Amino acid sequence: MKKQYLAILLAFTLSSTTILSGCATQSPSGSPEENIYTTEALDAGSDNDDPGHSDSADSALQNTLYGIEITEETKSRTFSVKDHPDVSVLTAKAVYPKFSIEGNSAAADQINSAVLAEFNTFWNFETENAGYAEEEYLMSLDSTETPAQISYSADFSYQLKRCDDKIISIVFTQSDYTGGAHGNVWSYGVTFDTATGERLYLESLGDDHTAFRQMILDSLTIQASLPVYQDQYLFEGADADIESSLLNDSACWYFDRSGISFISNPYVLGPYASGTFEFNISYEDLTGLKKSYCYNGSYIRKLFPGVSALHDINGDDTADEICYSIPFGDDSQTNPSLIINGRDFTDQLTKLSLSYLWTGAYYLMDIDSEDTYTEIAISNENFENESETRTHFFRYDSEGNLIYLGNISGIFNEDMQVRYNSNGNLILCDRNGDPVS
């Protein structure tokens, strides 16, 4: 997979008691209706104004787990030149969540107000961009050349990373194209205390803020020094300034079921070609995290390809060393590899024809709490045929064998669950445990 074709999302977990190392060298083995607006100044900061088409009637109910009901608000707008209404210069679309918390409307109102503020910030930004696009078009009319074709675009979307009775954590992603070779994409996290509706910052997460912050800084610094980051993602020859770039940014982190993740957008710690990548610290390593924010669900751990981890995955009370890695660059002849306790299972991956590699996280997860196993989930993405994009599941048994359990359509993410149905087949479920059709 060529990195320039995809903003790469990377994440891994580093144990604070056991330093993770890189893998040992192995031998290769439905669109909403649009309205037309002018680029005149609009007040998108008022809750009572409708800054675009709101698809409220089609707002989708997501789930009611923990008494939390989630609907989606979709708004879109086409900006046109004031004196040339047939000339559109920017199209914008936004999707964001709206929460209802049973028995706690005050917290829901506070969260919804904060989410709406994020949307309004985006909408005001795009209103300004539309003004610049209009100016560019009008300037082109003064020349003898053909009027410029202005086709700016913008998108605002979200992913719900954790949503339970303790934490609601959202990652918003904004993308803008204003001409040139490529657009710009950046993501950021916003996290709330479910009970109070209060927005959380790093300062409010630990019992001892100073010690908690230092623990995070130490872990992220170690991670950034690993070869996979130094060689592939960070600016060449430059020391990563983790503290100023990440810890001092109130919106570069989020919680999911695996732990806390820190987002590095293009140009923050690495060049544009590195895309968006992440650092992750698991809950078991978040020393000093307030108990009220810990995650008590089934085990799941997000890992970075190319870095090994220690965890008992076959239930024999002995830690196993697992390392999944993928080739970088354009070398399509190099196969992804999986090494467990020094044994190379690359041939088994090769037989699955994982030719389109997903470069995001892979996972260790406890699919069935009734057994002693922790499964391995690895995704591959097929850009040419989306129906062939799948997540594959493996089990490492007590005899040292790798058992292929099957696959599900799509790429697993932190907002999903995996279960066995009555026939023993793997199925993908939403956060409420209901099968995804």
Side-chain angles (χ1 to χ4, degrees):
M1 175 186 296
K2 296 182 179 180
K3 288 191 291 184
Q4 59 266 38
Y5 293 159
L6 177 68
I8 305 173
L9 181 63
L10 301 172
F12 73 99
T13 306
L14 182 66
S15 170
S16 60
T17 57
T18 303
I19 300 299
L20 303 182
S21 60
C23 296
T25 303
Q26 299 292 325
S27 301
S29 26
S31 301
E33 179 184 356
E34 291 188 338
N35 291 334
I36 304 300
Y37 292 80
T38 70
T39 55
E40 293 178 305
L42 297 171
D43 180 11
S46 171
D47 291 5
N48 298 319
D49 292 335
D50 180 11
H53 172 73
S54 177
D55 207 357
S56 299
D58 298 328
S59 294
L61 177 65
Q62 300 297 312
N63 68 76
T64 55
L65 190 64
Y66 300 105
I68 302 173
E69 183 179 288
I70 307 163
T71 56
E72 286 186 347
E73 294 293 327
T74 300
K75 299 181 186 293
S76 62
R77 177 179 294 177
T78 297
F79 292 85
S80 60
V81 180
K82 181 177 180 181
D83 295 328
H84 303 269
D86 59 329
V87 178
S88 62
V89 291
L90 186 149
T91 58
K93 179 180 178 180
V95 181
Y96 57 90
K98 185 176 182 180
F99 298 89
S100 174
I101 304 175
E102 184 178 357
N104 197 347
S105 59
D109 289 345
Q110 188 168 340
I111 294 171
N112 290 331
S113 178
V115 170
L116 185 62
E118 299 299 330
F119 160 73
N120 286 331
T121 297
F122 162 77
W123 215 253
N124 286 330
F125 182 80
E126 298 312 329
T127 300
E128 292 182 9
N129 272 346
Y132 299 142
E134 180 178 17
E135 290 177 5
E136 185 177 341
Y137 175 81
L138 294 176
M139 288 178 62
S140 72
L141 296 180
D142 296 332
S143 68
T144 58
E145 300 177 359
T146 303
Q149 296 294 317
I150 310 298
S151 56
Y152 288 6
S153 62
D155 184 81
F156 183 76
S157 60
Y158 78 97
Q159 283 187 312
L160 194 57
K161 293 294 188 176
R162 180 176 164 184
C163 183
D164 54 37
D165 56 339
K166 299 179 179 180
I167 290 288
I168 293 177
S169 196
I170 312 165
V171 169
F172 292 105
T173 298
Q174 181 172 339
S175 63
D176 283 279
Y177 178 75
T178 56
H182 58 75
N184 292 304
V185 180
W186 63 96
S187 300
Y188 64 96
V190 180
T191 298
F192 304 95
D193 183 311
T194 305
T196 65
E198 175 189 5
R199 180 171 174 180
L200 297 178
Y201 299 91
L202 286 180
E203 293 77 6
S204 55
L205 299 181
D207 294 314
D208 181 337
H209 166 63
T210 301
F212 187 74
R213 179 185 175 93
Q214 188 61 49
M215 177 273 300
I216 290 178
L217 178 60
D218 291 344
S219 180
L220 297 183
T221 300
I222 292 173
Q223 293 180 43
S225 69
L226 293 175
V228 67
Y229 279 105
Q230 293 290 321
D231 296 342
Q232 301 294 337
Y233 300 104
L234 299 177
F235 284 118
E236 184 177 358
D239 293 331
D241 191 347
I242 298 295
E243 186 163 20
S244 64
S245 298
L246 299 184
L247 269 68
N248 292 342
D249 184 343
S250 63
C252 73
W253 62 272
Y254 66 88
F255 277 121
D256 59 22
R257 289 185 289 154
S258 177
I260 190 171
S261 292
F262 288 81
I263 304 168
S264 175
N265 285 300
Y267 305 119
V268 174
L269 293 175
Y272 179 84
S274 294
T276 300
F277 57 92
E278 296 187 358
F279 304 89
N280 177 267
I281 307 173
S282 66
Y283 287 111
E284 59 195 293
D285 296 326
L286 280 175
T287 307
L289 177 68
K290 292 179 180 178
K291 291 183 179 180
S292 56
Y293 299 140
C294 292
Y295 179 73
N296 299 321
S298 59
Y299 182 81
I300 183 170
R301 189 168 181 179
K302 183 167 57 177
L303 292 163
F304 176 80
V307 178
S308 63
L310 292 175
H311 185 75
D312 179 13
I313 60 175
N314 60 6
D316 64 358
D317 295 324
T318 301
D320 302 294
E321 184 174 13
I322 308 101
C323 185
Y324 171 70
S325 62
I326 56 176
F328 289 97
D330 300 329
D331 186 2
S332 60
Q333 302 304 312
T334 303
N335 296 315
S337 68
L338 177 62
I339 300 171
I340 305 176
N341 294 333
R343 183 177 174 184
D344 191 348
F345 292 97
T346 297
D347 287 346
Q348 289 187 236
L349 297 187
T350 303
K351 291 177 182 178
L352 294 175
S353 300
L354 299 181
S355 55
Y356 295 87
L357 299 175
W358 171 245
T359 58
Y362 72 105
Y363 294 85
L364 304 181
M365 65 176 68
D366 183 9
I367 296 178
D368 185 357
S369 61
E370 299 296 322
D371 62 34
T372 60
Y373 294 102
T374 299
E375 286 75 19
I376 304 170
I378 301 173
S379 298
N380 73 291
E381 186 172 28
N382 190 325
F383 293 105
E384 298 177 357
N385 186 349
E386 187 176 346
S387 64
E388 294 182 8
T389 293
R390 315 198 71 79
T391 298
H392 302 268
F393 294 86
F394 302 85
R395 174 180 294 164
Y396 181 71
D397 67 16
S398 58
E399 303 299 322
N401 301 309
L402 186 69
I403 310 300
Y404 182 55
L405 301 178
N407 62 76
I408 57 176
S409 179
I411 293 174
F412 176 84
N413 62 54
E414 298 90 343
D415 196 33
M416 300 175 178
Q417 300 183 50
V418 178
R419 297 285 184 266
Y420 293 106
N421 64 14
S422 58
N423 295 323
N425 297 319
L426 290 167
I427 56 173
L428 186 65
C429 303
D430 61 21
R431 71 179 70 89
N432 201 31
D434 296 325
V436 176
S437 57

